[in-house]
Amino acid sequence: STAQSDIAPVALDNLDSQMGIHKASKIAGLHLKRDYHKWLDAIGTALLDTGTAIYPDGVTADDGFVTARPLDYAFVSKIERSMDDANLPTLPDGFRLLVVPPAADEAIKLDRQYARLSEFHKELNALFPATYLRTVGKFHIFKSTTLSKPTNSSSIPFYRAHAIAPGA
């Protein structure tokens, strides 16, 4: 059902079907395009979730989160170093992508080191107005509300983020 954001039959309301200026095929096409993009996002998220996991110091698995661990600049640096050690390529501008959930965006904004070292690039904001946050280290950081939030044996919520290099 559409209430749960699942794929559902395309419904045209009475007003849309009676208006001569709107073609039913175009209305259906908009719904199908949205569903296609949601499907691509779900597939991409599922594939990226299978990549190598990097955890904060002191955590070795999903069940290792027993206290809240907000995202900070030190962990972003650890991710960057791990990708450098693996000789992962960068984009032509010398950066990689880091996609974080809204909770991580909120947490990292409070980190003084991140605030001091991050930069905002207007040219990226024009391309990604709702998702581009800032650039720090070798990462352009973006926000996504569709990243997975797995469950573990403790009651501490944790979120997945995706560090992406070209060729992923």
PDB file of all heavy atoms in Angstrom, residues 64-86:
ATOM      1  N   GLY A  64      28.240  -4.392  19.142  1.00  0.00           N
ATOM      2  CA  GLY A  64      29.203  -3.739  20.016  1.00  0.00           C
ATOM      3  C   GLY A  64      28.788  -2.359  20.498  1.00  0.00           C
ATOM      4  O   GLY A  64      29.443  -1.765  21.347  1.00  0.00           O
ATOM      5  N   PHE A  65      27.708  -1.823  19.949  1.00  0.00           N
ATOM      6  CA  PHE A  65      27.243  -0.504  20.384  1.00  0.00           C
ATOM      7  C   PHE A  65      26.429  -0.661  21.664  1.00  0.00           C
ATOM      8  O   PHE A  65      25.283  -1.082  21.641  1.00  0.00           O
ATOM      9  CB  PHE A  65      26.383   0.157  19.297  1.00  0.00           C
ATOM     10  CG  PHE A  65      27.165   0.584  18.093  1.00  0.00           C
ATOM     11  CD1 PHE A  65      27.256  -0.242  16.981  1.00  0.00           C
ATOM     12  CD2 PHE A  65      27.816   1.801  18.072  1.00  0.00           C
ATOM     13  CE1 PHE A  65      27.983   0.144  15.865  1.00  0.00           C
ATOM     14  CE2 PHE A  65      28.549   2.200  16.965  1.00  0.00           C
ATOM     15  CZ  PHE A  65      28.632   1.368  15.857  1.00  0.00           C
ATOM     16  N   VAL A  66      27.050  -0.342  22.789  1.00  0.00           N
ATOM     17  CA  VAL A  66      26.353  -0.433  24.075  1.00  0.00           C
ATOM     18  C   VAL A  66      26.117   0.945  24.676  1.00  0.00           C
ATOM     19  O   VAL A  66      25.394   1.084  25.641  1.00  0.00           O
ATOM     20  CB  VAL A  66      27.115  -1.333  25.073  1.00  0.00           C
ATOM     21  CG1 VAL A  66      27.094  -2.780  24.591  1.00  0.00           C
ATOM     22  CG2 VAL A  66      28.544  -0.851  25.256  1.00  0.00           C
ATOM     23  N   THR A  67      26.760   1.974  24.109  1.00  0.00           N
ATOM     24  CA  THR A  67      26.497   3.361  24.481  1.00  0.00           C
ATOM     25  C   THR A  67      26.363   4.162  23.194  1.00  0.00           C
ATOM     26  O   THR A  67      26.838   3.741  22.134  1.00  0.00           O
ATOM     27  CB  THR A  67      27.643   3.968  25.320  1.00  0.00           C
ATOM     28  OG1 THR A  67      28.846   3.929  24.546  1.00  0.00           O
ATOM     29  CG2 THR A  67      27.843   3.221  26.626  1.00  0.00           C
ATOM     30  N   ALA A  68      25.728   5.296  23.288  1.00  0.00           N
ATOM     31  CA  ALA A  68      25.565   6.154  22.113  1.00  0.00           C
ATOM     32  C   ALA A  68      26.941   6.643  21.649  1.00  0.00           C
ATOM     33  O   ALA A  68      27.768   7.052  22.451  1.00  0.00           O
ATOM     34  CB  ALA A  68      24.661   7.329  22.447  1.00  0.00           C
ATOM     35  N   ARG A  69      27.184   6.586  20.344  1.00  0.00           N
ATOM     36  CA  ARG A  69      28.448   7.022  19.754  1.00  0.00           C
ATOM     37  C   ARG A  69      28.145   7.974  18.609  1.00  0.00           C
ATOM     38  O   ARG A  69      27.997   7.554  17.472  1.00  0.00           O
ATOM     39  CB  ARG A  69      29.232   5.820  19.218  1.00  0.00           C
ATOM     40  CG  ARG A  69      29.556   4.710  20.196  1.00  0.00           C
ATOM     41  CD  ARG A  69      30.677   5.051  21.138  1.00  0.00           C
ATOM     42  NE  ARG A  69      31.939   5.291  20.495  1.00  0.00           N
ATOM     43  CZ  ARG A  69      32.917   4.398  20.397  1.00  0.00           C
ATOM     44  NH1 ARG A  69      32.768   3.186  20.874  1.00  0.00           N
ATOM     45  NH2 ARG A  69      34.055   4.722  19.845  1.00  0.00           N
ATOM     46  N   PRO A  70      28.031   9.259  18.871  1.00  0.00           N
ATOM     47  CA  PRO A  70      27.718  10.189  17.787  1.00  0.00           C
ATOM     48  C   PRO A  70      28.865  10.282  16.777  1.00  0.00           C
ATOM     49  O   PRO A  70      30.032  10.107  17.140  1.00  0.00           O
ATOM     50  CB  PRO A  70      27.489  11.520  18.492  1.00  0.00           C
ATOM     51  CG  PRO A  70      28.195  11.397  19.788  1.00  0.00           C
ATOM     52  CD  PRO A  70      28.196   9.937  20.148  1.00  0.00           C
ATOM     53  N   LEU A  71      28.518  10.543  15.543  1.00  0.00           N
ATOM     54  CA  LEU A  71      29.525  10.710  14.501  1.00  0.00           C
ATOM     55  C   LEU A  71      30.362  11.939  14.819  1.00  0.00           C
ATOM     56  O   LEU A  71      29.829  12.979  15.186  1.00  0.00           O
ATOM     57  CB  LEU A  71      28.850  10.861  13.129  1.00  0.00           C
ATOM     58  CG  LEU A  71      29.795  11.037  11.937  1.00  0.00           C
ATOM     59  CD1 LEU A  71      30.630   9.780  11.722  1.00  0.00           C
ATOM     60  CD2 LEU A  71      29.015  11.373  10.679  1.00  0.00           C
ATOM     61  N   ASP A  72      31.685  11.812  14.677  1.00  0.00           N
ATOM     62  CA  ASP A  72      32.563  12.947  14.901  1.00  0.00           C
ATOM     63  C   ASP A  72      33.665  12.963  13.841  1.00  0.00           C
ATOM     64  O   ASP A  72      33.802  12.037  13.043  1.00  0.00           O
ATOM     65  CB  ASP A  72      33.149  12.933  16.317  1.00  0.00           C
ATOM     66  CG  ASP A  72      33.956  11.672  16.623  1.00  0.00           C
ATOM     67  OD1 ASP A  72      34.246  10.886  15.705  1.00  0.00           O
ATOM     68  OD2 ASP A  72      34.300  11.483  17.797  1.00  0.00           O
ATOM     69  N   TYR A  73      34.450  14.033  13.847  1.00  0.00           N
ATOM     70  CA  TYR A  73      35.502  14.189  12.849  1.00  0.00           C
ATOM     71  C   TYR A  73      36.550  13.086  12.948  1.00  0.00           C
ATOM     72  O   TYR A  73      37.067  12.626  11.931  1.00  0.00           O
ATOM     73  CB  TYR A  73      36.163  15.568  12.982  1.00  0.00           C
ATOM     74  CG  TYR A  73      37.295  15.753  12.012  1.00  0.00           C
ATOM     75  CD1 TYR A  73      37.036  16.003  10.664  1.00  0.00           C
ATOM     76  CD2 TYR A  73      38.615  15.634  12.421  1.00  0.00           C
ATOM     77  CE1 TYR A  73      38.065  16.143   9.761  1.00  0.00           C
ATOM     78  CE2 TYR A  73      39.650  15.770  11.516  1.00  0.00           C
ATOM     79  CZ  TYR A  73      39.381  16.026  10.187  1.00  0.00           C
ATOM     80  OH  TYR A  73      40.400  16.152   9.290  1.00  0.00           O
ATOM     81  N   ALA A  74      36.855  12.631  14.158  1.00  0.00           N
ATOM     82  CA  ALA A  74      37.861  11.584  14.330  1.00  0.00           C
ATOM     83  C   ALA A  74      37.450  10.305  13.595  1.00  0.00           C
ATOM     84  O   ALA A  74      38.285   9.646  12.960  1.00  0.00           O
ATOM     85  CB  ALA A  74      38.067  11.295  15.820  1.00  0.00           C
ATOM     86  N   PHE A  75      36.175   9.958  13.648  1.00  0.00           N
ATOM     87  CA  PHE A  75      35.721   8.744  12.957  1.00  0.00           C
ATOM     88  C   PHE A  75      35.725   8.949  11.443  1.00  0.00           C
ATOM     89  O   PHE A  75      36.087   8.049  10.685  1.00  0.00           O
ATOM     90  CB  PHE A  75      34.346   8.326  13.457  1.00  0.00           C
ATOM     91  CG  PHE A  75      33.891   7.005  12.913  1.00  0.00           C
ATOM     92  CD1 PHE A  75      34.712   5.888  12.964  1.00  0.00           C
ATOM     93  CD2 PHE A  75      32.649   6.868  12.336  1.00  0.00           C
ATOM     94  CE1 PHE A  75      34.310   4.667  12.451  1.00  0.00           C
ATOM     95  CE2 PHE A  75      32.224   5.652  11.819  1.00  0.00           C
ATOM     96  CZ  PHE A  75      33.065   4.555  11.878  1.00  0.00           C
ATOM     97  N   VAL A  76      35.357  10.143  10.986  1.00  0.00           N
ATOM     98  CA  VAL A  76      35.418  10.439   9.549  1.00  0.00           C
ATOM     99  C   VAL A  76      36.869  10.301   9.071  1.00  0.00           C
ATOM    100  O   VAL A  76      37.132   9.745   8.001  1.00  0.00           O
ATOM    101  CB  VAL A  76      34.849  11.839   9.241  1.00  0.00           C
ATOM    102  CG1 VAL A  76      35.089  12.234   7.792  1.00  0.00           C
ATOM    103  CG2 VAL A  76      33.358  11.892   9.566  1.00  0.00           C
ATOM    104  N   SER A  77      37.821  10.761   9.871  1.00  0.00           N
ATOM    105  CA  SER A  77      39.247  10.625   9.528  1.00  0.00           C
ATOM    106  C   SER A  77      39.670   9.159   9.477  1.00  0.00           C
ATOM    107  O   SER A  77      40.463   8.766   8.623  1.00  0.00           O
ATOM    108  CB  SER A  77      40.112  11.374  10.533  1.00  0.00           C
ATOM    109  OG  SER A  77      39.886  12.745  10.433  1.00  0.00           O
ATOM    110  N   LYS A  78      39.145   8.356  10.386  1.00  0.00           N
ATOM    111  CA  LYS A  78      39.458   6.925  10.388  1.00  0.00           C
ATOM    112  C   LYS A  78      38.941   6.268   9.108  1.00  0.00           C
ATOM    113  O   LYS A  78      39.630   5.435   8.507  1.00  0.00           O
ATOM    114  CB  LYS A  78      38.840   6.249  11.611  1.00  0.00           C
ATOM    115  CG  LYS A  78      39.104   4.762  11.682  1.00  0.00           C
ATOM    116  CD  LYS A  78      38.482   4.124  12.903  1.00  0.00           C
ATOM    117  CE  LYS A  78      38.773   2.629  12.947  1.00  0.00           C
ATOM    118  NZ  LYS A  78      38.242   1.999  14.148  1.00  0.00           N
ATOM    119  N   ILE A  79      37.752   6.624   8.684  1.00  0.00           N
ATOM    120  CA  ILE A  79      37.185   6.089   7.442  1.00  0.00           C
ATOM    121  C   ILE A  79      38.058   6.503   6.260  1.00  0.00           C
ATOM    122  O   ILE A  79      38.387   5.689   5.387  1.00  0.00           O
ATOM    123  CB  ILE A  79      35.735   6.562   7.254  1.00  0.00           C
ATOM    124  CG1 ILE A  79      34.848   6.048   8.381  1.00  0.00           C
ATOM    125  CG2 ILE A  79      35.196   6.129   5.902  1.00  0.00           C
ATOM    126  CD1 ILE A  79      33.478   6.723   8.439  1.00  0.00           C
ATOM    127  N   GLU A  80      38.452   7.774   6.234  1.00  0.00           N
ATOM    128  CA  GLU A  80      39.302   8.279   5.152  1.00  0.00           C
ATOM    129  C   GLU A  80      40.631   7.516   5.103  1.00  0.00           C
ATOM    130  O   GLU A  80      41.078   7.103   4.035  1.00  0.00           O
ATOM    131  CB  GLU A  80      39.560   9.769   5.361  1.00  0.00           C
ATOM    132  CG  GLU A  80      40.435  10.399   4.298  1.00  0.00           C
ATOM    133  CD  GLU A  80      40.692  11.869   4.575  1.00  0.00           C
ATOM    134  OE1 GLU A  80      39.783  12.563   5.057  1.00  0.00           O
ATOM    135  OE2 GLU A  80      41.826  12.302   4.308  1.00  0.00           O
ATOM    136  N   ARG A  81      41.252   7.315   6.269  1.00  0.00           N
ATOM    137  CA  ARG A  81      42.529   6.583   6.325  1.00  0.00           C
ATOM    138  C   ARG A  81      42.356   5.145   5.841  1.00  0.00           C
ATOM    139  O   ARG A  81      43.181   4.614   5.092  1.00  0.00           O
ATOM    140  CB  ARG A  81      43.095   6.594   7.739  1.00  0.00           C
ATOM    141  CG  ARG A  81      44.441   5.886   7.849  1.00  0.00           C
ATOM    142  CD  ARG A  81      44.978   5.871   9.265  1.00  0.00           C
ATOM    143  NE  ARG A  81      43.972   5.541  10.266  1.00  0.00           N
ATOM    144  CZ  ARG A  81      43.645   4.296  10.628  1.00  0.00           C
ATOM    145  NH1 ARG A  81      44.245   3.267  10.068  1.00  0.00           N
ATOM    146  NH2 ARG A  81      42.731   4.087  11.543  1.00  0.00           N
ATOM    147  N   SER A  82      41.252   4.497   6.234  1.00  0.00           N
ATOM    148  CA  SER A  82      41.002   3.118   5.796  1.00  0.00           C
ATOM    149  C   SER A  82      40.855   3.040   4.288  1.00  0.00           C
ATOM    150  O   SER A  82      41.362   2.105   3.658  1.00  0.00           O
ATOM    151  CB  SER A  82      39.744   2.579   6.464  1.00  0.00           C
ATOM    152  OG  SER A  82      39.906   2.501   7.853  1.00  0.00           O
ATOM    153  N   MET A  83      40.205   4.022   3.709  1.00  0.00           N
ATOM    154  CA  MET A  83      40.038   4.032   2.256  1.00  0.00           C
ATOM    155  C   MET A  83      41.363   4.337   1.563  1.00  0.00           C
ATOM    156  O   MET A  83      41.656   3.770   0.512  1.00  0.00           O
ATOM    157  CB  MET A  83      38.941   5.020   1.857  1.00  0.00           C
ATOM    158  CG  MET A  83      37.561   4.599   2.357  1.00  0.00           C
ATOM    159  SD  MET A  83      36.261   5.765   1.952  1.00  0.00           S
ATOM    160  CE  MET A  83      35.822   5.198   0.304  1.00  0.00           C
ATOM    161  N   ASP A  84      42.166   5.232   2.147  1.00  0.00           N
ATOM    162  CA  ASP A  84      43.496   5.517   1.596  1.00  0.00           C
ATOM    163  C   ASP A  84      44.383   4.280   1.673  1.00  0.00           C
ATOM    164  O   ASP A  84      45.094   3.955   0.721  1.00  0.00           O
ATOM    165  CB  ASP A  84      44.160   6.677   2.340  1.00  0.00           C
ATOM    166  CG  ASP A  84      43.546   8.032   2.013  1.00  0.00           C
ATOM    167  OD1 ASP A  84      42.820   8.136   1.003  1.00  0.00           O
ATOM    168  OD2 ASP A  84      43.789   8.981   2.779  1.00  0.00           O
ATOM    169  N   ASP A  85      44.356   3.576   2.819  1.00  0.00           N
ATOM    170  CA  ASP A  85      45.163   2.367   2.986  1.00  0.00           C
ATOM    171  C   ASP A  85      44.781   1.290   1.971  1.00  0.00           C
ATOM    172  O   ASP A  85      45.627   0.496   1.553  1.00  0.00           O
ATOM    173  CB  ASP A  85      45.021   1.798   4.401  1.00  0.00           C
ATOM    174  CG  ASP A  85      45.709   2.655   5.454  1.00  0.00           C
ATOM    175  OD1 ASP A  85      46.521   3.533   5.080  1.00  0.00           O
ATOM    176  OD2 ASP A  85      45.424   2.449   6.659  1.00  0.00           O
ATOM    177  N   ALA A  86      43.509   1.259   1.578  1.00  0.00           N
ATOM    178  CA  ALA A  86      43.043   0.281   0.593  1.00  0.00           C
ATOM    179  C   ALA A  86      43.274   0.762  -0.844  1.00  0.00           C
ATOM    180  O   ALA A  86      42.881   0.091  -1.797  1.00  0.00           O
ATOM    181  CB  ALA A  86      41.562  -0.007   0.816  1.00  0.00           C
TER     182      ALA A  86
END
